[in-house]
C-alpha cells in the first residue's frame, strides 16, 4: 500500500512509524526544511520538501500511484485543496483530511474528500459522552463519528429497570443492539424487560445519545 | 443602474479593497472580510459597506457575513487555497449564484477551472497583457 502524508508534527511522525511497521510504502510532504530533514533521518519514508497542495509536488510524490492521501496540516484550506487535487487530478482512490474547524467536517466530504475528521469533534464527544457516566465501559466511534457504539451497565437506580423496551419509548436514532445478562447474549425485542446488572450494547447517533442515556441511567442527559 | 447586489468580498488587500470600494461606490451592498483589521485602511472613502474582522477559513465567519443571502462572493485573499476553499463553500453550502476566486498559481487555476470553479488568474492576465503589449510594440516597429 502506498500512502502519502502531508504535514508534520507528532501526528505525522507517529502515524508514519506505525505504518512503516506494517510495511507500507510511505511518502511525507513537509513544507519546513528543518523538519523535513529530521523526518527523513528518523523514519523509513521518502520525504519531499514542499507544499502538499501544489500539483507539481503531489506529482513528484507519486500521487497517481497512491492508494491513500492524508492531509494533516493545521490549515483546512491546504488540506482540502491537497485532497481534491490528489483525487481529481491524480485519481487517488481515498483521501483523508484533518479539519480544524469542526463545521467543515461534512462540507469537505461534500466537496469530494473521502473522510474528513475533526480532532475537536472526536475529543469533545468523548468527553461529553463519558463524563458523569461511570458505568460506560467502552465507546467506539463508527462511520466517522456519525454513530457510536457503547456498552453500559444498568444499576438498580436506573428508571429503566423492569420496563420493556417498548415502554421506554426510545428516541429515533438509537438502538439497543443486544443485552448481556449473566453472560448470555439476548437479542432484544420490544417486549424484553430490563433488569439490574444488564449490560447493554447501544448503537446511537451522537445527537440522540444524551437523551438516550438519561432514559437508561436517570442522570440528566 | 442594474439592481443593487449583495456582495461578499473575502480579503481586503490591494485587490480586495479596490473591488469593495468600487462596488460599494456603484451602490451595491458590500461586506468585506479580512483577519487583519488594519487592511480596512485600504478602503476608499466611497466605501459604505460593512467590515468583518475574522478568518475566512472559519465557516462561522462566512455565516456572520450572511453569505447565504449574497448574490456574489469574490474570494481575493493572497492565499490560493483559502480562495479556492471559500469559493467552493460559498457555492455548495451557501448556494451563492456568482462566485469568483483569485488563484495566483496558473497550474492550480487550470485544475479548478476544470472542476467548474470560476477562477481568475492574475498571473495569466498579466502574462496576456505583457504579450499583447509586446505584439503591439512589434507591429509598430514593423510599420
Amino acid at each position: 500500500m502506498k500512502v502519502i502524508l502531508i504535514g508534520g508534527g507528532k501526528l505525522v511522525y507517529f502515524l508514519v512509524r506505525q505504518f512503516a511497521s506494517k510495511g507500507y510504502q510511505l511518502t511525507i510532504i513537509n513544507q519546513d526544511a528543518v523538519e523535513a530533514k529530521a523526518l527523513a533521518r528518523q523514519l523509513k519514508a521518502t520525504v519531499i520538501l514542499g507544499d502538499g497542495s501544489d500539483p507539481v509536488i503531489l506529482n513528484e510524490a507519486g500521487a497517481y500511484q497512491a492508494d491513500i492521501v492524508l492531509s494533516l496540516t493545521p490549515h483546512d484550506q491546504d488540506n482540502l485543496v491537497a485532497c481534491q487535487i490528489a483525487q481529481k487530478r491524480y485519481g487517488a482512490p481515498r483521501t483523508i483530511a484533518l479539519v480544524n474547524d469542526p463545521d467543515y467536517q461534512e462540507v469537505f466530504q461534500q466537496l469530494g474528500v473521502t473522510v474528513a475528521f475533526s480532532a475537536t469533534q472526536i475529543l469533545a464527544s468523548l468527553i461529553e459522552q463519558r463524563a458523569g457516566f461511570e458505568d460506560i465501559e467502552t465507546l467506539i466511534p463508527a462511520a466517522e463519528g456519525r454513530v457510536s457504539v457503547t456498552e453500559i451497565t444498568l444499576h438498580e437506580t436506573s428508571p429503566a429497570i423492569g420496563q420493556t423496551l417498548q415502554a421506554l419509548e426510545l428516541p429515533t436514532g438509537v438502538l439497543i443492539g443486544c443485552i448481556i445478562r449473566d453472560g448470555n447474549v439476548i437479542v432484544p425485542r420490544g417486549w424484553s424487560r430490563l433488569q439490574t446488572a444488564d449490560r447493554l450494547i447501544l448503537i446511537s447517533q451522537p445527537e440522540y445519545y444524551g437523551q438516550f442515556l438519561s432514559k437508561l441511567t436517570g442522570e440528566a442527559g | 443602474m442594474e439592481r443593487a447586489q449583495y456582495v461578499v468580498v473575502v480579503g481586503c488587500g490591494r485587490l480586495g479593497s479596490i473591488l469593495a470600494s468600487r462596488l460599494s461606490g456603484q451602490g451595491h451592498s458590500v461586506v468585506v472580510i479580512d483577519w487583519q483589521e488594519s487592511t480596512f485602511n485600504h478602503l476608499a472613502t466611497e466605501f459604505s459597506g460593512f467590515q468583518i474582522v475574522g478568518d475566512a477559513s472559519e465557516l462561522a465567519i462566512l455565516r456572520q457575513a450572511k453569505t447565504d443571502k449574497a448574490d456574489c462572493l469574490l474570494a481575493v485573499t493572497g492565499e490560493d487555497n483559502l480562495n479556492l476553499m471559500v469559493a467552493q463553500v460559498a457555492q455548495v453550502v451557501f448556494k451563492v449564484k456568482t462566485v469568483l476566486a483569485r488563484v495566483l498559481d496558473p497550474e492550480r487555476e487550470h485544475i479548478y477551472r476544470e472542476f467548474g470553479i470560476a477562477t481568475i488568474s492574475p498571473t495569466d492576465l498579466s502574462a496576456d497583457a505583457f504579450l499583447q503589449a509586446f505584439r503591439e510594440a512589434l507591429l509598430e516597429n514593423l510599420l
Side-chain angles (χ1 to χ4, degrees):
Chain A
M1 178 136 100
K2 181 172 166 54
V3 182
I4 296 177
L5 297 100
I6 300 163
K10 299 281 184 209
L11 181 57
V12 166
Y13 173 78
F14 285 108
L15 271 176
V16 168
R17 241 181 45 175
Q18 196 163 342
F19 290 161
S21 69
K22 294 185 175 156
Y24 295 170
Q25 193 193 332
L26 300 160
T27 304
I28 303 171
I29 303 175
N30 187 292
Q31 289 234 55
D32 181 89
V34 176
E35 194 184 6
K37 206 177 233 171
L39 288 170
R41 250 201 323 264
Q42 294 163 323
L43 296 165
K44 268 197 284 178
T46 308
V47 181
I48 292 172
L49 176 64
D51 169 5
S53 63
D54 183 337
V56 178
I57 298 287
L58 277 169
N59 188 33
E60 198 183 318
Y64 46 87
Q65 293 170 321
D67 296 294
I68 184 156
V69 175
L70 291 103
S71 191
L72 307 168
T73 80
H75 306 288
D76 288 342
Q77 59 269 34
D78 298 350
N79 295 339
L80 174 70
V81 169
C83 286
Q84 287 184 318
I85 292 179
Q87 187 213 29
K88 298 188 191 185
R89 186 60 180 272
Y90 296 111
R94 278 176 72 77
T95 56
I96 298 183
L98 168 67
V99 291
N100 297 280
D101 178 353
D103 288 350
Y104 280 131
Q105 194 168 349
E106 262 179 53
V107 177
F108 275 26
Q109 286 171 192
Q110 255 176 293
L111 294 176
V113 176
T114 319
V115 176
F117 76 97
S118 152
T120 315
Q121 199 66 53
I122 292 171
L123 286 176
S125 70
L126 274 176
I127 291 165
E128 259 168 45
Q129 298 180 6
R130 246 201 135 115
F133 302 109
E134 300 304 321
D135 313 322
I136 299 171
E137 309 270 334
T138 48
L139 196 140
I140 311 161
E144 292 90 46
R146 278 173 289 150
V147 177
S148 59
V149 182
T150 322
E151 180 183 337
I152 76 158
T153 305
L154 290 184
H155 282 233
E156 64 251 13
T157 53
S158 161
I161 300 292
Q163 300 233 42
T164 62
L165 296 188
Q166 212 158 20
L168 275 178
E169 292 181 349
L170 294 173
T172 49
V174 302
L175 184 74
I176 297 179
C178 74
I179 302 171
I180 300 158
R181 183 177 295 159
D182 306 323
N184 299 315
V185 177
I186 301 166
V187 177
R189 303 273 177 235
W191 60 84
S192 304
R193 234 172 249 284
L194 296 173
Q195 297 179 7
T196 304
D198 275 355
R199 273 158 62 208
L200 309 180
I201 308 293
L202 313 179
I203 301 161
S204 62
Q205 289 172 252
E207 52 270 42
Y208 298 105
Y209 188 76
Q211 218 185 329
F212 188 20
L213 266 192
S214 61
K215 283 217 177 217
L216 294 173
T217 63
E219 294 177 53
Chain B
M1 196 192 94
E2 76 270 37
R3 187 179 73 88
Q5 302 278 300
Y6 180 36
V7 186
V8 177
V9 178
V10 181
C12 192
R14 276 170 297 197
L15 179 60
S17 58
I18 293 175
L19 290 172
S21 303
R22 293 208 188 147
L23 287 167
S24 178
Q26 288 166 16
H28 298 294
S29 40
V30 178
V31 175
V32 57
I33 305 173
D34 202 293
W35 65 276
Q36 229 179 339
E37 197 168 3
S38 61
T39 59
F40 296 133
N41 297 332
H42 295 142
L43 292 166
T45 44
E46 59 182 333
F47 180 81
S48 62
F50 290 98
Q51 304 161 356
I52 292 177
V53 182
D55 183 351
S57 74
E58 218 181 291
L59 195 63
I61 296 292
L62 295 177
R63 248 189 226 123
Q64 195 189 330
K66 299 199 170 57
T67 305
D68 57 324
K69 303 272 192 301
D71 302 294
C72 173
L73 178 138
L74 308 173
V76 291
T77 74
E79 236 193 286
D80 283 359
N81 290 349
L82 182 56
N83 294 340
L84 287 168
M85 177 168 88
V86 167
Q88 293 182 81
V89 168
Q91 228 170 34
V92 173
V93 180
F94 297 107
K95 316 281 181 221
V96 179
K97 268 204 304 287
T98 310
V99 172
L100 278 168
R102 165 163 83 158
V103 183
L104 289 165
D105 174 11
E107 182 120 10
R108 225 168 290 200
E109 198 257 343
H110 295 320
I111 293 175
Y112 276 85
R113 201 165 347 134
E114 282 168 29
F115 297 172
I117 306 296
T119 51
I120 287 178
S121 161
T123 316
D124 273 349
L125 288 179
S126 22
D128 290 346
F130 273 106
L131 291 173
Q132 179 69 24
F134 174 74
R135 269 192 299 270
E136 277 162 22
L138 273 186
L139 280 176
E140 234 162 86
N141 290 344
L142 282 178
L143 293 175

